[in-house]
Amino acid sequence: MSAGACALLAGLVLADRVAAGVAEDRMADRIAARQSALVGAPDVSVEGFPFLWHAAAGSYPEVEVDGRARTQDGLPVTASLDLRDVSGTAGGYSAAKARGEFRVPLDALAAKRGPGVRLTGRDGRLEIARSFMGVPLVVTAALKLTGDTVTLAPAAASLAGRPLDPANPRIAAALKAAERKIPELPLGLVPSGISVDDSAVTVHGEARNVSLAGGS
């Protein structure tokens, strides 16, 4: 390939990436305009090369969105969205399918439960530790999604290292009090699952025919 052809190819690739960057910024602005809970504009990545080919067709196979937000009661959330079959519309963009993950740190959730509470993810379950009458109480619970509410099912418990019946009414009542309704998810996503690892609880959501209209 000649030097001229190489320069032309490099120029086309650069132009393609610049055009993709402009589209990513526009999508980020539209999403930010619709989501007041966001902390700053999200990062948007338009997949598929060449971008200009997809832009000319008015559709993109995949768009990834990452952002940070806060719930109304101040919990920090890290959001990751995967939008499929995104197409341009008169009012902005729409996606045929969308999936999202919304991670809330365990230490932030523990702080909401009061001083001395420690939350740890172990083997896909949540371990809740706190002091009870001066001795350590540890309860392990499985997280479940009931509609739009996170519920906890006791799996094991111990007081000062000695096993307790996890079905103890006081434990059941404490876990019942810890239930939490999931705030409305962005872009019309519906909660589809919940999981926990060693540092965060993650709410999973899905939706179809998602509108990204709005903004400038």
Side-chain angles (χ1 to χ4, degrees):
M1 183 180 295
S2 67
C6 289
L8 176 60
L9 180 59
L12 290 174
V13 172
L14 177 59
D16 192 82
R17 289 299 86 198
V18 169
V22 171
E24 289 167 352
D25 290 343
R26 287 177 178 172
M27 288 186 188
D29 289 342
R30 291 184 183 279
I31 294 171
R34 291 194 62 190
Q35 306 302 323
S36 59
L38 279 172
V39 180
D43 293 326
V44 176
S45 177
V46 178
E47 305 299 321
F49 181 83
F51 168 80
L52 290 173
W53 175 272
H54 294 292
S59 64
Y60 314 96
E62 183 178 6
V63 175
E64 296 178 352
V65 182
D66 295 298
R68 294 179 298 110
R70 284 193 176 275
T71 63
Q72 289 186 343
D73 56 354
L75 284 172
V77 180
T78 300
S80 298
L81 301 175
D82 182 38
L83 310 176
R84 297 299 178 100
D85 300 324
V86 177
S87 58
T89 66
Y93 301 91
S94 65
K97 299 178 183 178
R99 290 184 178 180
E101 293 185 351
F102 306 89
R103 291 174 56 85
V104 181
L106 290 177
D107 55 0
L109 288 169
K112 289 290 184 181
R113 302 305 304 168
V117 176
R118 188 180 75 252
L119 302 180
T120 307
R122 295 187 186 280
D123 301 322
R125 293 179 175 178
L126 184 64
E127 184 180 275
I128 307 164
R130 69 181 310 165
S131 175
F132 178 74
M133 299 182 66
V135 294
L137 171 66
V138 180
V139 177
T140 301
L143 295 181
K144 296 183 178 181
L145 186 62
T146 305
D148 61 354
T149 301
V150 179
T151 60
L152 298 92
S158 66
L159 182 65
R162 296 182 178 181
L164 292 177
D165 180 4
N168 182 292
R170 290 188 177 183
I171 294 176
L175 294 183
K176 179 68 176 179
E179 290 182 359
R180 185 180 182 88
K181 184 175 180 179
I182 297 173
E184 182 179 355
L185 299 180
L187 306 181
L189 269 69
V190 176
S192 59
I194 189 162
S195 59
V196 60
D197 57 26
D198 59 355
S199 62
V201 169
T202 300
V203 174
H204 306 264
E206 297 182 355
R208 291 181 178 271
N209 300 320
V210 173
S211 172
L212 307 180
S216 58

